[in-house]
Amino acid sequence: AQKVTQAQTEISVVEKEDVTLDCVYETRDTTYYLFWYKQPPSGELVFLIRRNSFDEQNEISGRYSWNFQKSTSSFNFTITASQVVDSAVYFCALSERNSGGYQKVTFGTGTKLQVIP
Amino acid sequence: GAGVSQSPSNKVTEKGKDVELRCDPISGHTALYWYRQSLGQGLEFLIYFQGNSAPDKSGLPSDRFSAERTGGSVSTLTIQRTQQEDSAVYLCASSLKGGGGVADTQYFGPGTRLTVL
């Protein structure tokens, strides 16, 4: 069963528009972490944010903001006033403990964002 | 400090040949992960190292794939008798603690793009 779902495969927006990338996850653990990564055309995944399951406070970092809602198992990512440099594939990931007691990170399939000038 | 490095950045090989991909994790990171990303796809987990041992090899797709890690640092992913379906970007990531460290953030290298002709 897919544990991290990013239903939006591709999104195109015009520069300066706001855009929200959706992420829905599934876990039976009470302690888990959620992440967002950015993969620009150069290919290297860049860590953006980590959020633990006990902290539902929304977080804002510049033009980026994240909305974590346990009630809907969602961890959505909003880019305000998008810029061309935001064009990338964005991955949501879930970190939990597997049956062997080790960290297991499951990635979503990614959302490709294209910001058109 | 230096990030995760991988070599080579690109590798073109003929079907049936063996290839070795190398990963140098961030200094001091005890956990190391290999992932595979096929064109336009998400990340597929391959193997996880804690120190020099591999407690989770569940993602290796066949016995043609193997990996080792020496000195708790450098890791080599070996693919024997390569097939065309092995063509992908192979990503390496490292994290500080790994096992049991659900909070750990994985930091990724730039990847090795493998093309099997």
Side-chain angles (χ1 to χ4, degrees):
Chain A
Q2 189 170 8
K3 291 195 168 184
V4 179
T5 302
Q6 294 181 256
Q8 305 149 308
T9 307
E10 288 193 44
I11 302 177
S12 289
V13 298
V14 176
E15 200 170 21
K16 296 184 183 176
E17 285 184 346
D18 298 347
V19 59
T20 295
L21 310 182
D22 298 333
C23 174
V24 174
Y25 63 92
E26 178 188 328
T27 180
R28 283 186 243 178
D29 285 359
T30 55
T31 301
Y32 54 90
Y33 283 75
L34 295 160
F35 300 80
W36 276 95
Y37 286 86
K38 174 182 180 180
Q39 187 177 40
S42 60
E44 187 164 346
L45 272 85
V46 176
F47 164 71
L48 295 178
I49 189 172
R50 179 186 71 188
R51 177 53 57 114
N52 78 59
S53 52
F54 298 106
D55 183 2
E56 286 192 72
Q57 265 195 323
N58 290 336
E59 182 155 344
I60 298 174
S61 176
R63 295 184 298 106
Y64 294 172
S65 63
W66 290 268
N67 181 271
F68 176 31
Q69 291 196 355
K70 288 180 76 170
S71 60
T72 56
S73 297
S74 64
F75 185 44
N76 297 338
F77 173 30
T78 298
I79 302 174
T80 303
S82 59
Q83 299 176 2
V84 173
V85 293
D86 296 328
S87 297
V89 180
Y90 291 86
F91 290 95
C92 179
L94 166 70
S95 173
E96 53 190 341
R97 200 182 302 269
N98 69 7
S99 56
Y102 297 98
Q103 180 194 38
K104 192 66 175 278
V105 179
T106 304
F107 286 82
T109 50
T111 296
K112 183 176 182 179
L113 173 65
Q114 183 177 17
V115 181
I116 303 165
Chain B
V4 178
S5 61
Q6 293 185 245
S7 61
S9 54
N10 276 285
K11 176 72 176 179
V12 180
T13 190
E14 293 179 350
K15 178 181 172 182
K17 301 276 191 182
D18 298 351
V19 295
E20 282 190 355
L21 312 180
R22 177 188 167 106
C23 172
D24 277 278
I26 293 172
S27 178
H29 279 195
T30 62
L32 187 147
Y33 305 79
W34 282 99
Y35 294 88
R36 179 168 70 173
Q37 186 177 28
S38 300
L39 186 63
Q41 302 298 309
L43 277 72
E44 175 189 4
F45 167 79
L46 297 177
I47 188 170
Y48 153 61
F49 285 94
Q50 184 66 41
N52 290 336
S53 64
D56 190 350
K57 307 178 185 178
S58 62
L60 295 177
S62 76
D63 58 8
R64 296 187 296 105
F65 287 73
S66 63
E68 64 175 14
R69 188 178 184 196
T70 55
S73 182
V74 172
S75 176
T76 303
L77 176 69
T78 301
I79 308 173
Q80 296 178 308
R81 305 181 302 281
T82 52
Q83 304 294 313
Q84 288 182 331
E85 61 263 28
D86 299 334
S87 296
V89 175
Y90 289 81
L91 293 164
C92 175
S94 71
S95 67
L96 189 59
K97 295 179 186 174
V102 183
D104 261 10
T105 296
Q106 294 183 18
Y107 295 92
F108 284 80
T112 294
R113 183 176 297 278
L114 174 65
T115 303
V116 182
L117 302 176

